[in-house]
Amino acid sequence: NTYESEFVINELKKAGYTIKDFEDCEYKVGELPKKKDLLYFNGIGGFDEKKNEYVLYPSKDNLPPVPWANVIANKNIGSVLTETGGGFSWLSNSREFRITPWSNDTISDKRGEIIYIQDEKTGKLFNPYLLPCANDGFYEVKYGLGYAEYVSEIEGINSSLKIFIPVNDNVKISILKIKNNSEKKRELNIAYFVEPTLSYSSNGKEKYIKASY
C-alpha cells in the first residue's frame, strides 16, 4: 500500500530515523551473541556501551525474577514493553486512558498486544519475542533510548521487530522484518492481536467499545 508506506517513512523521519536504521537488523545463523562484551552482564543482560543499549537474552529457562520493562513515550502517548513482549499502551494518561489493558501483577507479565506468526504448512505458532508462544531458539532484546528491538531465530525463520513512538505524533510504530534462513520454501501468516480497553479498567470496557466487521 503506497499510502501506508509513505506514512511510515514520514513517521520515521519525524522521529529522527532513516530507512538505513532498519536495513541491517537481522541475526545471522551461527553467530554467537557477544555477551562477554556487555558491561555488567548478569546472566540475562548487560549494557552495550557502543550502541547505548541494554541487551537481554531471555529464554524459557532463563528469565529475570520479575519483568524488566522499557517505557517509550512522548508527551501524549506511551507504551510499556517487557523483555518477553508484554506491556500496554496509553494516550494522555497512563491510568485513565489505557488503550490496551494493564495488570497489577508484576510476575505473570500479561499482555494485550501480541504479534503472531504461523507456519501454514506445519501450523507452528510463534512470536517475534519470547512469549506467549515460548519456543526453543534464539532471542535477543535491545532497549534503547526511545525504542525497543526484538530479534529472534525460530526454526530457520529470522524476525526483527523494532517498536518506537515518534516525538510529535500520537502513534506507536512497529516495524517487523522477516527472513527465511532455512533451505525450504515457507508460507507464513502474520496477525496482530489487540485487546482494546479504552478506559482505566478492563471491567466494563464494553461501554466504550463498538465493534464492526
Side-chain angles (χ1 to χ4, degrees), residues 110-128:
K110 296 180 180 179
R111 63 212 63 223
E113 304 171 43
I114 307 170
I115 295 178
Y116 287 102
I117 304 171
Q118 184 178 42
D119 188 312
E120 280 196 346
K121 186 174 182 180
T122 66
K124 187 176 183 63
L125 202 62
F126 51 100
N127 314 104

Side-chain angles (χ1 to χ4, degrees), residues 73-79 88-99 165 169-171:
N74 59 29
K75 63 181 180 180
N76 294 320
I77 189 172
S79 184
F88 75 105
S89 301
W90 71 88
L91 179 66
S92 299
N93 186 298
S94 61
R95 180 189 183 276
E96 297 296 328
F97 305 120
R98 295 170 186 154
I99 300 172
I165 292 176
D169 292 294
N170 297 336
V171 62

Side-chain angles (χ1 to χ4, degrees), residues 38-79:
L38 297 178
L39 189 63
Y40 304 119
F41 185 73
N42 54 25
I44 299 176
F47 291 94
D48 184 335
E49 288 188 291
K50 294 181 180 179
K51 295 184 178 180
N52 291 323
E53 295 175 330
Y54 191 81
V55 185
L56 301 101
Y57 297 97
S59 68
K60 292 191 295 184
D61 303 317
N62 189 34
L63 287 172
V66 295
W68 291 356
N70 187 25
V71 180
I72 57 175
N74 59 29
K75 63 181 180 180
N76 294 320
I77 189 172
S79 184

